[in-house]
Amino acid sequence: MYFAALLARTEDGWEASDTELDDVETLSDLADLAREASPDEDTVLVLIEQEDAWFGVVRVDGEEDPRIYVSDAAAAARSSYGEILLTDELLGRDPDDGADLDALDLDGTEDGESDGDDEDAESGPGAVASAESVPHGPVGDALILDDIGVSEKQLRLMSTDAVTEIAESLGASETLEAVR
């Protein structure tokens, strides 16, 4: 079970809205969605939580690049929403280190033919390498909320109901509960 909400800081305090992430495919899409929630270029937080597994915070301040924190990268990597947040930069990967298309060994399966090794494809060396490249535990900017009331230590200690804990720390729990 997922929950996603936008918290936009305004002159009158925090405004919350639940959000559908079905049309969001990239971090850029998510940042654009956040920016639409605050026409005055105020701070907007995107809070995403998968029950008992992981949570993520994306902070968008005007036109600046989004800042991201994910509580458990390995758990988030198994989620379509988590994959949006786990950028190469966040994971410390060089996007140019990807497979060189000229070096790929194409064995005739590129036209949709099966080579009969479907079971090995999921658990083969490539799958192991990608699983190892995603760390267990938190990744990203642990100071993402420090200047608005949630310290790095508090953020790292949050677990099962982090979205509610964050909203409480910001004084926005009633606002968030209204959209839950």
Side-chain angles (χ1 to χ4, degrees):
M1 178 87 155
Y2 289 95
F3 175 71
L6 296 172
L7 278 179
R9 186 165 53 179
T10 68
E11 292 176 4
D12 300 325
W14 292 96
E15 290 183 9
S17 57
D18 63 340
T19 187
E20 280 295 320
L21 299 179
D22 294 341
D23 295 332
V24 174
E25 295 179 6
T26 65
L27 180 59
S28 180
D29 293 343
L30 188 60
D32 290 343
L33 183 69
R35 287 184 184 104
E36 289 171 13
S38 179
D40 295 331
E41 296 189 7
D42 292 321
T43 298
V44 179
L45 303 176
V46 181
L47 305 173
I48 302 172
E49 179 177 76
Q50 182 181 4
E51 191 172 297
D52 298 329
W54 66 277
F55 71 92
V57 179
V58 177
R59 179 175 175 165
V60 178
D61 294 301
E63 291 300 318
E64 292 181 27
D65 288 340
R67 295 167 55 193
I68 306 165
Y69 176 81
V70 176
S71 67
D72 186 338
R78 295 186 294 270
S79 156
S80 58
Y81 297 137
E83 289 177 351
I84 293 169
L85 305 181
L86 297 175
T87 62
D88 286 333
E89 181 180 345
L90 188 71
L91 296 173
R93 294 185 206 153
D94 183 356
D96 296 330
D97 284 347
D100 181 4
L101 292 179
D102 294 332
L104 288 178
D105 180 21
L106 300 176
D107 59 2
T109 60
E110 70 271 13
D111 294 325
E113 301 169 26
S114 175
D115 63 2
D117 291 336
D118 290 341
E119 290 178 359
D120 292 340
E122 290 181 29
S123 61
V128 171
S130 67
E132 288 175 359
S133 64
V134 178
H136 291 274
V139 295
D141 184 355
L143 297 172
I144 192 169
L145 303 173
D146 193 59
D147 65 323
I148 54 177
V150 181
S151 71
E152 174 182 5
K153 182 178 179 181
Q154 289 173 302
L155 190 62
R156 290 187 186 274
L157 291 174
M158 292 180 183
S159 58
T160 58
D161 199 14
V163 169
T164 300
E165 290 180 51
I166 290 169
E168 285 175 4
S169 296
L170 300 176
S173 58
E174 289 180 20
T175 304
L176 181 67
E177 285 306 313
V179 299
R180 242 186 213 252

